[in-house]
Amino acid sequence: MSPDPDPFPPPLRIVVTVPPGQTVTVTGTPRAPCDIAEVAARVRACLDDIGIEGEAAAVYDDGVLSIDFSRHQVRRQGQPVSLTRKEFSLLALLAQQPGRLLTQSCLLRTLWGPTHEGDAHYLRILVGKLRQKLGDPRYILTEPGVGLRFLPR
């Protein structure tokens, strides 16, 4: 599996104003105003174009590690695992795309912003702490010089 050069494209920005009467004006589209069903269809089409299929699973659970993405909770063998926001964000990014290689620059840009794309040591430190807290380094595979991938059990 070859690395995806940028699995996290620039954020999609849709500005919506809703005047009385259920009509929605979508800024940046050729035809406005339009109805809410059309807006939803356009958003779904944009998500399809960038490769996001529906909503990600709300929970990952392999019997040992459990990640509740909506509650920001992680458990290992039933015991809570205390993670920082960055640690949880990294784990969620990886676990919601199991087996997919996420590049270092993409992860750095997503977690710390575009000014930190070259700061790979930030990622190495965060991954080390996360592996230690998870108690099993096999969940996060490092592809040296390229990126990381989550390996479910």
Side-chain angles (χ1 to χ4, degrees), residues 82-89 126 133:
S82 179
L83 299 179
T84 66
R85 281 184 288 175
K86 286 269 195 257
E87 290 165 346
F88 184 85
S89 294
L126 187 65
K133 288 181 178 183

Side-chain angles (χ1 to χ4, degrees), residues 55-143:
E55 291 187 23
V59 175
Y60 168 84
D61 192 344
D62 64 13
V64 176
L65 181 66
S66 173
I67 307 166
D68 186 328
F69 299 106
S70 61
R71 292 187 176 152
H72 288 240
Q73 294 177 341
V74 177
R75 294 184 171 276
R76 175 153 173 75
Q77 297 178 334
Q79 298 300 311
V81 177
S82 179
L83 299 179
T84 66
R85 281 184 288 175
K86 286 269 195 257
E87 290 165 346
F88 184 85
S89 294
L90 174 60
L91 181 60
L93 284 170
L94 294 169
Q96 287 177 330
Q97 301 180 68
R100 184 173 181 181
L101 179 62
L102 302 180
T103 63
Q104 288 178 358
S105 63
C106 173
L107 291 167
L108 287 162
R109 187 174 52 252
T110 302
L111 294 169
W112 283 279
T115 59
H116 294 283
E117 278 188 59
D119 297 332
H121 61 283
Y122 282 24
L123 199 52
R124 282 193 295 274
I125 291 167
L126 187 65
V127 169
K129 289 180 180 179
L130 182 55
R131 282 182 175 141
Q132 184 178 17
K133 288 181 178 183
L134 294 179
D136 188 344
R138 294 175 294 173
Y139 282 108
I140 301 172
L141 175 69
T142 299
E143 300 272 343

Side-chain angles (χ1 to χ4, degrees), residues 9-82:
L12 174 65
R13 183 172 291 172
I14 298 175
V15 179
V16 179
T17 57
V18 184
Q22 296 286 326
T23 300
V24 176
T25 303
V26 181
T27 305
T29 61
R31 295 181 3 235
C34 58
D35 67 23
I36 195 67
E38 186 175 345
V39 172
R42 289 181 187 198
V43 170
R44 277 192 300 276
C46 289
L47 294 175
D48 288 344
D49 287 348
I50 62 174
I52 298 174
E53 299 170 5
E55 291 187 23
V59 175
Y60 168 84
D61 192 344
D62 64 13
V64 176
L65 181 66
S66 173
I67 307 166
D68 186 328
F69 299 106
S70 61
R71 292 187 176 152
H72 288 240
Q73 294 177 341
V74 177
R75 294 184 171 276
R76 175 153 173 75
Q77 297 178 334
Q79 298 300 311
V81 177
S82 179

